Amino acid sequence: MTQKKKFIIGNWKMNPATTSLATDIFKKIQKDTAHLTKTQTIICPPYIYLESLARLQGLSKAAKKTKKKKKESSHTLAPVLLGAQNLNSEPMGARTGEISGELLKQFGVTHVIIGHSERRDLGETDAIINTKILAALNWKFKVILCVGEKVRDDDGHYLAFIKNQLEQALAGVKKENLKSLIVAYEPVWAIGATEAIPPSSIHGMTIFIRKTLFDIYKTRTLTTPILYGGSVDSKNAGEILQQGSADGLLIGRQSLDPNAFTAIAVTANTLS
Ligand code: 13P
């Protein structure tokens, strides 16, 4: 497979507490990851911080243009992209408390997390997730589809569970849209826990997910990135990427610590 950039994605969930904290963390990540050429960093903050962070991101884009004008490598700045944690499948209208693709687009959001287990816990079904994915693709977002079992059993039923999550989420998603898909395997029991699952299990799951995508799309040329999420930190990131053969990481708590997040991104960069 061709060498691809690793995705290091921060899911800030319902954090941090203030805009000023959010901008401080983002600025630090921007500055400390700017030299990375083989890693794509993405931050998915609460919606209310998108505007402030988009402004900071605008500065990065301007700086990138200046560099290009000077005929320097466009790789000297790796902008931190912005992602959203959800979106409603409707573009506008009477949907109290919801966010739409139309609203997100104005802040330069490029990626959307869909199907996170914390949203599934709030009642999001596979069918709802499917409509959200179709809407997100329509809006030209890259989709970060989260799948993961709640528990593991010795008989391997969790594999059928994940296969079903993928099949339902991707119903009606065309092969040509796969270039806009990232799958994040997040075993629910490892989210917010003390330890990630062993890299060997992650390796097994990346193979299983790739095989499932092959079964659905009947093509061997799939380059869909498969990420891991769940208690990732700067100590375990390297082995998850290497031995777990993950194409990137979806990080919760440690993405709010700019030093830890940067350390993970630097590790990914050296392994790419
Ligand atoms: P933690 O990294 O805090 O375990 O969260 C993982 C997660 O849910 C990312 O989406």
Side-chain angles (χ1 to χ4, degrees), residues 11 13 116 118 186 190-192 230-232 250-253:
N11 177 9
K13 306 189 180 184
H116 193 282
E118 287 155 15
E186 294 206 311
I191 294 176
S231 300
V232 173
L250 183 54
I251 305 161
R253 288 158 294 170

Side-chain angles (χ1 to χ4, degrees), residues 148-163 185 205 208:
E149 75 283 3
K150 281 196 173 155
V151 285
R152 277 212 175 180
D153 55 290
D154 294 338
D155 303 325
H157 292 308
Y158 66 94
L159 294 172
F161 180 82
I162 305 257
K163 186 170 196 276
Y185 169 60
M205 288 311 298
F208 178 77

Side-chain angles (χ1 to χ4, degrees), residues 149-226:
E149 75 283 3
K150 281 196 173 155
V151 285
R152 277 212 175 180
D153 55 290
D154 294 338
D155 303 325
H157 292 308
Y158 66 94
L159 294 172
F161 180 82
I162 305 257
K163 186 170 196 276
N164 184 53
Q165 278 189 328
L166 283 165
E167 284 169 350
Q168 294 212 43
L170 296 173
V173 173
K174 298 198 181 83
K175 203 182 280 186
E176 55 266 32
N177 280 328
L178 289 178
K179 58 182 183 314
S180 299
L181 179 75
I182 295 171
V183 176
Y185 169 60
E186 294 206 311
V188 179
W189 46 284
I191 294 176
T194 48
E195 276 184 78
I197 71 170
S200 55
S201 298
I202 297 170
H203 179 68
M205 288 311 298
T206 54
I207 292 173
F208 178 77
I209 290 169
R210 208 166 282 295
K211 156 101 176 54
T212 304
L213 292 176
F214 170 73
D215 290 344
I216 299 172
Y217 289 100
K218 308 278 181 267
T219 171
R220 285 197 185 280
T221 56
L222 288 178
T223 52
T224 308
I226 299 171

Side-chain angles (χ1 to χ4, degrees), residues 97-165:
E98 287 292 288
I99 191 92
S100 76
E102 174 130 8
L103 303 181
L104 290 171
K105 273 281 167 182
Q106 58 188 314
F107 301 118
V109 167
T110 51
H111 290 69
V112 180
I113 297 174
I114 298 182
H116 193 282
S117 59
E118 287 155 15
R119 294 214 50 93
R120 292 180 191 257
D121 272 354
L122 295 172
E124 232 170 66
T125 61
D126 287 314
I128 294 173
I129 287 161
N130 176 244
T131 59
K132 289 184 175 199
I133 290 175
L134 293 171
L137 292 171
N138 215 19
W139 282 102
K140 308 274 181 265
F141 290 112
K142 307 270 187 218
V143 170
I144 304 159
L145 164 63
C146 296
V147 295
E149 75 283 3
K150 281 196 173 155
V151 285
R152 277 212 175 180
D153 55 290
D154 294 338
D155 303 325
H157 292 308
Y158 66 94
L159 294 172
F161 180 82
I162 305 257
K163 186 170 196 276
N164 184 53
Q165 278 189 328

Side-chain angles (χ1 to χ4, degrees), residues 5-10 28-30 32-43 78 80 232-235 237-238 241 248-249 251 254-255 257-272:
K5 276 192 176 189
K6 294 265 189 268
F7 289 91
I8 301 300
I9 306 180
K28 186 143 176 41
I29 292 173
Q30 273 187 313
D32 295 347
T33 60
H35 64 292
L36 305 180
T37 55
K38 296 184 223 147
T39 303
Q40 180 60 65
T41 47
I42 305 167
I43 293 294
V80 182
V232 173
D233 59 31
S234 53
K235 290 192 201 78
L241 292 169
L249 303 162
I251 305 161
Q254 294 288 291
S255 65
D257 173 344
N259 293 328
F261 186 78
T262 300
I264 296 169
V266 168
T267 300
N269 204 61
T270 55
L271 295 176
S272 295

